[in-house]
Amino acid sequence: MLRISHPDRVIDPLTGLTKLDLVRYYESMADRMVPHLKGRPVAEVRGPQGIGGQQFFQRHDPAAEDDEAPLQIASAEQLLAAAQLNVIEFHTGNVKLRAPAKPDRMVFDLDPGEGLAWPHMQEGAELVRALLHELGLQGWLKTSGGKGLHVVVPIAARWSADMVKAVTKATVERLAQTLPERFVAKSGPANRVGRIFVDYLRNGETATTVAAFSARARPGLGVSMPIHWDQLRELESGAQWTVQTARDQLSVEKHDPWAGYADARQSLTAAIKTLGLKFAPNAAGPARGRSRKS
């Protein structure tokens, strides 16, 4: 049995949740969470003194001979061992380790600007879904565990990271150009006041996104929870579920909200053409410039 050091240390002063509470949460979620971690490069947010203390972002395995070797979590035992070492958040990259040059997903991170009402976030997520549908793609929805929402698009691992990033960037730019009162494609607080910044930089070669079911190192210990699109209108915030309530939510689910996600292998060919991007026949990456056709 795993020995937990300092089990009574308070991780979140707002709720009084302790390190033991967090480890028990991850133990209860391991069967759901490990499939989202296994086989991917993992990055961890460690908080030895809880969310109020200094935090460390770690992406390389300190036990490996290669200093650049990515962290990996392939079992419940490894997940709990990381939690014992004060890991609060778990993030994953967009590639599988067996094919590190070819992403198998795209992530659209919807981040609300100051003053944006939550119903506009719900509408924004639906608009992203609608544009993806026009591009021949299906997205799966999850809360961020913080203020926002994530739309995750599984794809066939055929295109380079540069090509995938180009597709997400062009998609976000189209949103911002079509609905400038709702979306912005530039980061920075001043640019997004009252609007949604859709962060396509989550699709950079080494970028990561918080994993499904991971806690967040923020007051309340919100959880990034996969949900069905039908649940969007009932959602009250991006941190609706927490370490204290997430398991109860799963216990009342009648169907897996992400059914089909793990087996989806969607093509980007139609999206590339619709967005006016050029690419070489071997799909190595985007060509310079864009086609004249819109």
Side-chain angles (χ1 to χ4, degrees), residues 49-228:
Q49 302 304 319
I51 66 173
Q54 187 174 6
Q55 297 176 17
F56 306 89
F57 191 79
Q58 184 175 349
R59 65 170 68 243
H60 298 125
D61 186 350
E65 294 182 4
D66 181 359
D67 292 340
E68 298 298 313
L71 285 167
Q72 300 182 50
I73 292 180
S75 67
E77 291 76 16
Q78 290 177 324
L79 175 66
L80 298 183
Q84 150 58 19
L85 292 174
N86 303 304
V87 175
I88 301 175
E89 294 186 10
F90 295 85
H91 296 235
T92 55
N94 295 327
V95 300
K96 293 289 182 64
L97 291 169
R98 65 174 181 266
K102 300 293 179 68
D104 69 342
R105 74 180 188 195
M106 302 188 298
V107 177
F108 295 88
D109 180 1
L110 282 68
D111 189 5
E114 183 179 353
L116 187 78
W118 179 250
H120 289 164
M121 278 293 289
Q122 294 167 304
E123 179 187 36
E126 289 284 10
L127 290 168
V128 170
R129 184 190 188 192
L131 178 53
L132 288 173
H133 181 75
E134 291 180 13
L135 297 176
L137 297 168
Q138 181 180 359
W140 277 257
L141 181 67
K142 70 183 180 77
T143 64
S144 71
K147 296 180 180 180
L149 296 167
H150 295 159
V151 179
V152 185
V153 182
I155 59 175
R158 289 180 48 204
W159 292 270
S160 70
D162 285 345
M163 186 75 250
V164 172
K165 184 178 178 182
V167 170
T168 56
K169 183 175 186 289
T171 302
V172 172
E173 287 175 343
R174 177 165 292 198
L175 281 168
Q177 290 165 3
T178 305
L179 296 165
E181 73 282 3
R182 284 281 184 261
F183 297 98
V184 61
K186 294 182 179 180
S187 62
N191 295 321
R192 67 177 79 172
V193 174
R195 295 185 289 177
I196 299 170
F197 170 57
V198 184
D199 188 358
Y200 62 85
L201 298 177
R202 295 288 180 188
N203 300 280
E205 186 173 359
T206 61
T208 61
T209 303
V210 68
F213 304 108
S214 173
R216 304 304 305 273
R218 303 178 183 185
L221 292 180
V223 167
S224 182
M225 179 71 80
I227 61 173
H228 193 275

Side-chain angles (χ1 to χ4, degrees), residues 224-266:
S224 182
M225 179 71 80
I227 61 173
H228 193 275
W229 284 101
D230 290 345
Q231 296 174 267
L232 177 59
R233 284 298 165 185
E234 303 170 5
L235 205 61
E236 297 178 357
S237 79
Q240 179 154 328
W241 292 283
T242 70
V243 165
Q244 292 176 297
T245 63
R247 192 68 200 182
D248 291 339
Q249 168 62 22
L250 293 183
S251 69
V252 299
E253 283 184 353
K254 295 181 180 179
H255 306 286
D256 179 4
W258 272 30
Y261 169 80
D263 298 321
R265 303 288 187 272
Q266 300 180 99

